[in-house]
Every structure is written in C-alpha cells, then in structure tokens.
Amino acid sequence: MSVTDPRTVPADLLETVRTKHRAVWESGDYPAVADQVIPSLGAVLVEACDVGPGDRVLDVGAGSGNASIPAALAGADVVASDLSPELLEAGRRRAEATGATLRWEPADAHALPFDDGAFDVTLSCVGVMFAPFHQLAATELARVTRPGGTIGNVAWTPDGFIGQMFATLKPYAPPPPPGALPPPLWGTEEHVLALFGDRVTDVRAEVHGLVVDRFSDGAAFRDFFKATYGPTIATYRHLGDDDARAAELDDTLAALGDRHLRDDGTMVWDYLLVRATRA
C-alpha cells in the first residue's frame, strides 16, 4: 500500500482529524490500559534506544507517559507530546508519583511544534501509529531528530492480536478519513522503511511478543476494552441502537480473545520494535 503524500492533506481535514481523534482517546480510560495491560512496553523502547542522562528526548503520542516517564527516570531531558491534554494531565500525575521530571506539551504528530533537529532521540510507543496520515507523521519524526540521532518506535503488528482486533472492529467502525492508512501498517518493516526512506540509516526492526496476563477469558478482554479503549468505544457508539450488530461484535471480540488465550492464562501480543539512526 502506498503512503500518503503529506502535501495532499488539506488543513481543514487535519483539523477535523485532530478534533475527532482527541475525542476518541479521551472517551475511555487509556491510562488504565497503559498501567494494567502494557506497563512494561515503554521501558522496553527506552532501553532499545539507549536513552540516558542528558539526552534530549521527544515522546510522540505519549499518552499518559508509558515511555516518557521511564526515559525521564533514565536521566533524559524529556518532552512528552500528545493530542490529548487530558491524557497528558494523567501522565503528569503519574510522573509526580514516581519522582520523574519532564515537560508535557499538547501536539499533533502530523505537525510537531518543535524545531528541526531539536532532539537526540524521538520515540513513540504505540502512539504515532494512530496518526492516520503516516507519511506526514514519519516526516515530522525525522525532521525533529538531529542528524545522527535515534528514532525509535513500537507498533502493533497486523497479524498479532491487536492487529487482528482492529481487523475485527473495521466492519463495524466509522469510515476513516480520506487518505488515512490502518494503524497496524506501522507494525510492518517494509512500510516503516518506505515511510522514512533515505532519512534514516542503520535500521533495526524486530518483532517481539508482549505477554499479557490481565484477562481470564475473551469476554473479560472484550469488556475491559469496551470500557477503557477509545477505538473500541468509538466503534460501539457508531453502531448506535443496532443491538444485533453490537451483540455480533460482542461475540466476535470475545471469540478473538479466547483464541489467543493460552493454557497458562496469558496472551502474547506481537509488536514491531524499530530503531533507526537519523541520516
């Protein structure tokens, strides 16, 4: 699938996307997902990017600080950016509880309000993948990273559990904006290489599995994500009063969870971890 030329994304469409996406991610309780389901994922990315004292770090799509806070605790000078001020406020409270010091700035991944080459490390942990205009977001990640600096990203793979969850939601969900690409494409090495092109060198891309032990069965997974996860909530709201379709989706999501639940009560969610050097 080809990537979107950033010059073809109209300003009014970007503004509409900002408004809708902010509402989606503020509709649930994403900090609960970050804290209860994927708490270790940000630290994995921070370690992979060799973040350390004095590094200037930008976390794009930071949410409530899943990667930002570990980066700050590693001694870096961190800016956590996200479309949602509400999520950043939750992150600020989490940071205070851990003793981490960092800055929290609302920002759209499609148009980051930072200077060229302002950061030594630019990273995103299952964040920038949800910016629908992939090429525009990737161009921004590269732009704000200094030459020789590091770009790191974690994204759910299309064939992994969360990628399959999005495929399950798609027939029931509202249509994406024109030119938008599916988030799990960021979980394929080929797509990421195409997005960054010659802006990066020394690309390392590896698929890993996150072990999740939060859910007793598929119904427990479904109910938790219906209550906390913005894209799932938005999908059910789109169905409105169509109880039959909602019940069908209920069954399909529960079945998906059951298929991925192992005998030991855990699930494994595959993600692509990419680290690259800014050319």
Side-chain angles (χ1 to χ4, degrees):
M1 182 177 293
S2 63
V3 297
T4 303
D5 184 336
R7 294 168 296 183
T8 67
V9 183
D12 58 343
L13 177 57
L14 281 175
E15 185 57 36
T16 298
V17 166
R18 290 186 189 107
T19 301
K20 289 185 177 180
H21 276 227
R22 176 179 171 181
V24 165
W25 290 106
E26 292 183 350
S27 64
D29 185 4
Y30 187 75
V33 178
D35 292 343
Q36 299 179 35
V37 186
I38 60 169
S40 64
L41 204 53
V44 169
L45 178 60
V46 169
E47 182 178 359
C49 292
D50 293 327
V51 173
D55 284 338
R56 300 168 300 164
V57 175
L58 174 65
D59 184 7
V60 179
S64 54
N66 188 263
S68 307
I69 292 173
L73 291 174
D77 178 11
V78 179
V79 176
S81 69
D82 196 275
L83 198 59
S84 166
E86 184 175 297
L87 291 183
L88 293 179
E89 181 57 35
R92 187 178 288 108
R93 293 192 297 270
R94 291 181 69 243
E96 290 175 355
T98 63
T101 301
L102 60 156
R103 299 192 303 281
W104 304 85
E105 297 192 19
D108 180 1
H110 297 119
L112 295 170
F114 307 110
D115 293 338
D116 295 358
F119 297 95
D120 302 305
V121 182
T122 302
L123 50 80
S124 184
C125 182
V126 294
V128 73
M129 66 180 290
F130 293 103
F133 306 113
H134 294 191
Q135 186 62 74
L136 189 54
T139 299
E140 284 293 275
L141 292 183
R143 179 185 65 78
V144 301
T145 309
R146 67 165 175 82
T150 298
I151 298 173
N153 189 61
V154 163
W156 304 117
T157 66
D159 295 332
F161 178 74
I162 295 297
Q164 291 183 36
M165 184 194 76
F166 277 101
T168 299
L169 292 175
K170 184 178 179 180
Y172 304 88
L181 295 177
L185 275 180
W186 274 92
T188 63
E189 182 178 356
E190 180 183 13
H191 184 66
V192 174
L193 291 175
L195 290 174
F196 287 107
D198 60 7
R199 298 183 184 91
V200 299
T201 61
D202 303 322
V203 178
R204 284 182 279 169
E206 299 176 331
V207 174
H208 297 271
L210 176 71
V211 177
V212 175
D213 60 1
R214 173 63 174 74
F215 307 111
S216 58
D217 58 20
F221 149 74
R222 177 201 63 208
D223 292 345
F224 182 82
F225 268 60
K226 283 180 69 173
T228 61
Y229 197 60
T232 313
I233 293 168
T235 300
Y236 276 94
R237 286 181 176 173
H238 178 67
L239 295 177
D241 296 329
D242 192 338
D243 294 339
R245 291 275 284 168
E248 182 179 276
L249 180 55
D250 275 347
D251 292 343
T252 305
L253 285 175
L256 175 69
D258 285 333
R259 285 198 303 275
H260 284 262
L261 196 68
R262 303 188 298 185
D263 291 341
D264 64 357
T266 65
M267 307 166 81
V268 177
W269 297 2
D270 286 348
Y271 63 90
L272 180 72
L273 172 60
V274 174
R275 173 181 169 162
T277 300
R278 177 68 164 96

